[in-house]
Amino acid sequence: MYHISQKLIAEFLGTFALIFFGAGSICTDQYLHGAGGLGLLGIALAHGLAIGIMVSALGHVSGGHFNPAVTVGIWVTKRIGTIEAFLYWVAQLAGAVAAAFLLKSVIPEETWRAVALGAPELARDFPRWAGMALEAVTTFFLVLTVFATAVDEKGAFKAIAGFGIGLSITLGILVAGPLTGAALNPARAFGPALAAAHWANQGVYWVGPLAGGFVAGLLYDSVYLKKA
């Protein structure tokens, strides 16, 4: 067992890595624009690899949430207390903000401003309700994967949890990225938005992912984990 301070540091570091490498890949793609950028697949893989590696490295310490939507799924199924869940959120948001401000300090201003430091944004004329729905569905499958690999003792092997969770993020970005920016994570939206002062449609990236994580946690717990 690890102390709460150790868990919170792990959550800070894991979320920091997601924003630094994920949002950073968007800035890099912009910097390389016209000279063979990363493209959607490269950006999706950067996010997925960041989470996959961090879950593998630190998941045994804190559970490897790195996402308020994952934490809410764990909380609603009573696997974490309310105070601890709140502290997880604080650590996750702090990690996201720290990573975003670090990126802002090292990336050329004209580059990060062109993509709002990687903050997710809705495609032009894409309605907010559809954005929330897309964020909710993609996050639902992310949190479902977390429960199936990292929570369920009878499920897929915990040793491959990072692989499955990382790929679920990659898949979500490949589908939702061009339409919503595919945050799948309120912290992923909040950090870059704060550093870049770009708050457009921020509610989409809280309501959608939190709803998806909440439903996924309840569903997996009630269908597969409740004892008869």
Side-chain angles (χ1 to χ4, degrees):
M1 294 294 293
Y2 291 88
H3 297 298
I4 183 64
S5 60
Q6 295 172 309
K7 295 179 181 180
L8 296 180
I9 291 170
E11 286 297 306
F12 176 94
L13 292 174
T15 313
F16 183 102
L18 170 64
I19 277 61
F20 185 81
F21 293 111
S25 70
I26 295 174
C27 294
T28 297
D29 183 64
Q30 173 64 28
Y31 184 79
L32 294 173
H33 189 65
L38 300 178
L40 178 62
L41 179 59
I43 291 169
L45 285 173
H47 285 80
L49 286 171
I51 281 294
I53 291 169
M54 287 298 100
V55 169
S56 298
L58 297 172
H60 66 288
V61 176
S62 66
H65 299 188
F66 314 139
N67 182 342
V70 173
T71 300
V72 83
I74 301 295
W75 169 79
V76 75
T77 57
K78 297 180 169 44
R79 287 175 169 79
I80 188 174
T82 300
I83 294 177
E84 189 172 356
F86 174 76
L87 292 174
Y88 266 47
W89 275 31
V90 171
Q92 292 157 1
L93 293 175
V97 169
F101 274 100
L102 178 58
L103 285 172
K104 182 179 179 180
S105 70
V106 299
I107 292 175
E109 183 174 356
E110 64 273 15
T111 297
W112 71 255
R113 281 197 182 278
V115 291
L117 205 62
E121 180 56 285
L122 295 180
R124 185 176 181 180
D125 297 326
F126 195 69
R128 289 187 181 88
W129 70 264
M132 288 183 188
L134 200 50
E135 288 286 321
V137 172
T138 49
T139 307
F140 172 89
F141 283 102
L142 165 61
V143 177
L144 193 75
T145 302
V146 170
F147 269 78
T149 59
V151 176
D152 190 349
E153 296 288 347
K154 304 184 298 296
F157 319 97
K158 283 193 174 184
I160 68 158
F163 179 75
I165 294 167
L167 282 182
S168 68
I169 291 176
T170 299
L171 185 62
I173 293 174
L174 288 175
V175 173
L179 298 171
T180 69
L184 284 69
N185 181 339
R188 170 65 184 81
F190 180 79
L194 179 64
H198 183 80
W199 297 103
N201 302 304
Q202 185 71 191
V204 169
Y205 306 107
W206 284 84
V207 175
L210 290 177
F214 188 92
V215 173
L218 278 180
L219 179 68
Y220 197 96
D221 186 67
S222 62
V223 174
Y224 299 113
L225 297 178
K226 290 292 186 186
K227 294 182 179 179

